[in-house]
Amino acid sequence: MGELKLMKGNEALAEAAIRAGADAYFGYPITPQSEVIEYLMAEKPYERTGMVVLQAESEIAAINMIYGAAGSGKKVMTSSSSPGISLKQEGLSYIAGAELPCVYANVVRGGPGLGTIQPSQADYFQSTKGGGHGDYRQIVLAPASVQEMADFVKLGFELAFEYRMPVLILADGVIGQMMEKVELFDQMPRLTDDEIAEKYPWATTGKKKGTQRRIITSLALQAHEMEAHNMMLQKKYADVTEKEVRFEAISCEDAEYIIVAYGSSARIAQKTVELARKQGIKAGLFRLITLFPFPSKALQNLCKQGVKGFLAVEMSAGQMVEDVMLSVRGCAKVDHFGRFGGTIHTPEEVLNALKSKIIGG
Amino acid sequence: MTEEIIIAGFGGQGVLSMGKILAYSGIMQEQEVSWMPSYGPEMRGGTANVTVIISDERISSPILTIFDTAIILNQQSMDKFEKSVKPGGTLIYDPNGITHHPERKDIRIFQIEGAQLAAEMGNTKIFNMIVLGAYMNVKPIVKLENVIKGLKKSLPERYHKLIPLNEDAIRLGMKNVAEIAN
């Protein structure tokens, strides 16, 4: 067993970046995720592993540093919260277009606009439907515990490099600010420049005599070239959808009613399931771990198993519920419940909604 | 076993760190723990509260509305959380600064003169450890040895010389907590 620590979600994310062998973190502070850069600055990973930590002059600068460093095959990460993530969207679209790997975290707060600093899940559309321009996708991992905040950094880098695309760790203020027990994975080595040059034939590591130039760009002036590039991206996204779906089904085997949730809402809904079961209601929790790719087939299978209704619970006015509806395709009742704008629903409120909107409705 | 606790008081009373010590102690005795603070504007200068859960099983919601135990350290928190104790649950409070004492008949109520005892010890910083001691006597869930182990693990080494003082404060709190006839 690894080292056990009591850590905030944000701290676990930061420590995991060091341990995953990241080469650099570029960021800009914003509540409720400022602990990420605070932790990294205090921990001085440049002394531990040689990892660079840099506070950029803005979010836009940070994401473009990511773009550049990722292009050279380095393992790089950034993080922010909602308004800062909006600023990063242009860079993310370029990174997706140029097929570069990176991991970034959004510790979501209430919006729109500058919003509030309390937790929210209202960035689902932005995260899963492409927050920047163009036909691109990113893998979205939704941690529901401090442990997963750490584990998904490691997993995120693996996926980012396997598919050469951005991986988003979509957390929220609750997961970022809460402390839990976390078992940290062992320190992984950073790759040397030679190892990068050998391992990543796409990385711009400096042209040597007799080798081909490597060009990284998201630009193709000819429409047919851009279409071919897009088709190749779509093939990759289909491959990701086929292979990388992750979810957790809790008490779903005999469930008549299922709550679909992710992140901190899933934790709250798990308590709702406990309360419901005590009252004799056969409730279950379907926890999304990947938001893209979305576990549509698994939800369809639950429908076939005879589930009568699904309640999508999220701290938003109703975003993820649309993907549940698309997955279930009318074979069972689907409705939404959630507090939003920085307010968190309670397990009791979720239970009341399950009864009024799904069971009795 | 699952124990769901709210600790609430003023910022600066050591509410959050008391919660952290409790959570660390839970880890030391191989239990699952969660620590969820109130954060944001309410924390800046005003009240502070933290929900701590210690359990033998995987913890579901870190955010709760009703609690097994409420540890209440100012009047605003009393107004807010007296009603949030589960029937049959426990309320522990410091009467210092309390104008409206708890009135519920369906819970057990304990007093700890934490502020006064800390002043008598000549160190107001160990107030939260006295209150922690009171809690540990009323609800013997975390063992003293595990609290000390937790302190050793969570405090930087330069503070380890303060651990005996903290232990004394915990013992003082354990000794001086008193149940209010209800």
Side-chain angles (χ1 to χ4, degrees), chain A residues 23-26 36-37 40-41 44-46 51-55:
Chain A
D23 296 298
Y25 171 92
F26 306 115
V36 178
I37 195 164
L40 287 170
M41 287 294 181
K44 298 190 178 116
Y46 34 92
M51 174 186 172
V52 171
V53 183
L54 192 143
Q55 178 172 333

Side-chain angles (χ1 to χ4, degrees), chain A residues 69-91:
Chain A
S72 65
K74 298 285 183 183
K75 221 179 210 186
V76 284
M77 186 170 106
T78 185
S79 64
S80 189
S81 179
S82 308
I85 294 291
S86 290
L87 286 168
K88 290 182 199 279
Q89 291 304 328
E90 183 198 36

Side-chain angles (χ1 to χ4, degrees), chain A residues 20 22 66 70-71 73-78 92 95-96 98-105 137-141 151-169 191 199-200 202 233 236-237 239-240 244 246 290 292-293:
Chain A
I66 294 283
K74 298 285 183 183
K75 221 179 210 186
V76 284
M77 186 170 106
T78 185
L92 286 162
I95 291 167
E99 290 189 277
L100 295 177
C102 75
V103 172
Y104 75 108
R137 295 286 193 165
Q138 56 191 4
I139 294 172
V140 184
L141 302 171
D151 294 347
F152 288 1
V153 172
K154 189 177 170 192
L155 173 64
F157 276 124
E158 285 165 13
L159 295 171
F161 276 86
E162 183 171 351
Y163 295 101
R164 283 173 58 193
M165 61 193 284
V167 173
L168 165 59
I169 297 174
L191 295 185
K199 208 170 166 189
Y200 307 130
W202 46 267
L233 288 179
K236 175 160 79 177
Y237 301 149
D239 195 27
V240 168
E244 302 301 342
R246 287 170 170 81
T290 50
F292 178 82

Side-chain angles (χ1 to χ4, degrees), chain B residues 9 11 37 55 73 84 100 104-105 111 127 141 146 150 159 162 167:
Chain B
S55 180
L73 304 172
S84 308
H100 299 98
R104 282 188 47 184
K105 302 287 174 211
Q111 273 191 0
F127 164 74
I141 290 167
N146 291 322
Y159 293 127
L162 295 174
E167 191 173 341

Side-chain angles (χ1 to χ4, degrees), chain A residues 3-6 8 31-32 108 117-119 173-174 177-182 248 250 264 267-268 270-271 274 287 344-348, chain B residues 2 4 19-21 23-24 27-28 30-37 39-42 44 58-66 86 153:
Chain A
E3 196 181 341
L4 280 181
K5 279 194 154 183
L6 182 70
K8 279 193 174 193
T31 308
V108 182
I117 60 175
Q118 278 79 15
V174 173
Q177 294 296 323
M178 75 189 279
M179 281 196 181
E180 286 185 314
K181 182 164 79 175
V182 50
E248 183 185 20
I250 298 171
S264 54
R267 296 287 294 270
I268 293 162
Q270 199 186 330
K271 186 88 179 176
E274 289 166 16
R287 178 169 82 90
I344 309 167
H345 30 249
T346 66
E348 292 79 9
Chain B
T2 297
E4 298 170 335
K20 217 188 281 184
I21 292 162
Y24 234 113
I27 294 180
M28 291 302 124
E30 290 175 10
Q31 284 165 311
E32 299 300 320
V33 298
S34 81
W35 175 97
M36 181 68 212
Y39 73 92
E42 63 188 280
R44 294 172 188 163
R58 175 173 158 177
I59 293 166
S60 55
S61 178
I63 292 163
L64 302 167
T65 44
I66 52 167
K86 289 179 195 172
K153 257 206 111 173

